[in-house]
Amino acid sequence: MGEGSGGPEVPIQIENNPSLGHEVVNVDRDRVETSWAKFVPEGKEITDPNKAVIFLQGWPWKAESTTTWDQPRAMSEEFGIAAYEIDTKVDRIAPDSLNIEAEAIRLFLEKQQLKEVTIFGHSEGGI
């Protein structure tokens, strides 16, 4: 389904907070904005760079919303692996938008070279 990236990755580092990123990917004929916050265990080595926890929050939260950072941050600390909070947005109203967004997330995970992930979500992110 995916066709790769439609724009450059833009990493942002904020002191004492997760690294933030944003890119646009093409999924078939749709452009999907994908944003994320990446958490790593503070003061610890990541036990396995191929594993991660993925948190998909509900609408209208964004990866940049500090309100929802406690969950992925705690998971990262507890398990000693990276944790990502990811949000996606399709550039048009589409009846299959959740499938399109799921493919954008799959492309993101592939790009990060993550082989084993645990995904949890809240509200629409749980769908």
Side-chain angles (χ1 to χ4, degrees):
M1 240 184 137
E3 295 178 11
S5 178
E9 180 177 318
V10 183
I12 304 166
Q13 182 63 47
I14 301 172
E15 187 177 348
N16 297 324
N17 283 317
S19 57
L20 302 176
H22 176 87
E23 69 180 350
V24 176
V25 296
N26 295 316
V27 176
D28 291 335
R29 63 183 181 153
D30 295 296
R31 291 172 43 88
V32 184
E33 291 182 45
T34 305
S35 299
W36 64 90
K38 179 182 180 183
F39 301 83
V40 295
E42 191 171 329
K44 300 178 191 174
E45 291 289 322
I46 292 179
T47 58
D48 188 341
N50 295 314
K51 291 182 178 181
V53 173
I54 309 299
F55 175 55
L56 306 174
Q57 77 287 56
W59 184 87
W61 300 109
K62 300 292 180 200
E64 300 86 8
S65 301
T66 60
T67 304
T68 56
W69 283 358
D70 288 345
Q71 295 88 347
R73 180 180 284 131
M75 292 290 196
S76 175
E77 294 294 332
E78 177 69 24
F79 298 112
I81 58 178
Y84 294 85
E85 180 166 338
I86 302 172
D87 72 80
T88 54
K89 180 182 175 194
V90 180
D91 69 345
R92 68 181 181 95
I93 296 173
D96 57 345
S97 63
L98 290 178
N99 289 329
I100 295 166
E101 292 179 66
E103 177 62 11
I105 292 168
R106 188 196 67 75
L107 291 169
F108 172 80
L109 299 176
E110 184 177 88
K111 185 174 183 177
Q112 302 302 315
Q113 300 180 348
L114 297 171
K115 306 291 184 216
E116 186 177 327
V117 297
T118 300
I119 299 174
F120 71 106
H122 167 72
S123 190
E124 185 178 339
I127 296 173

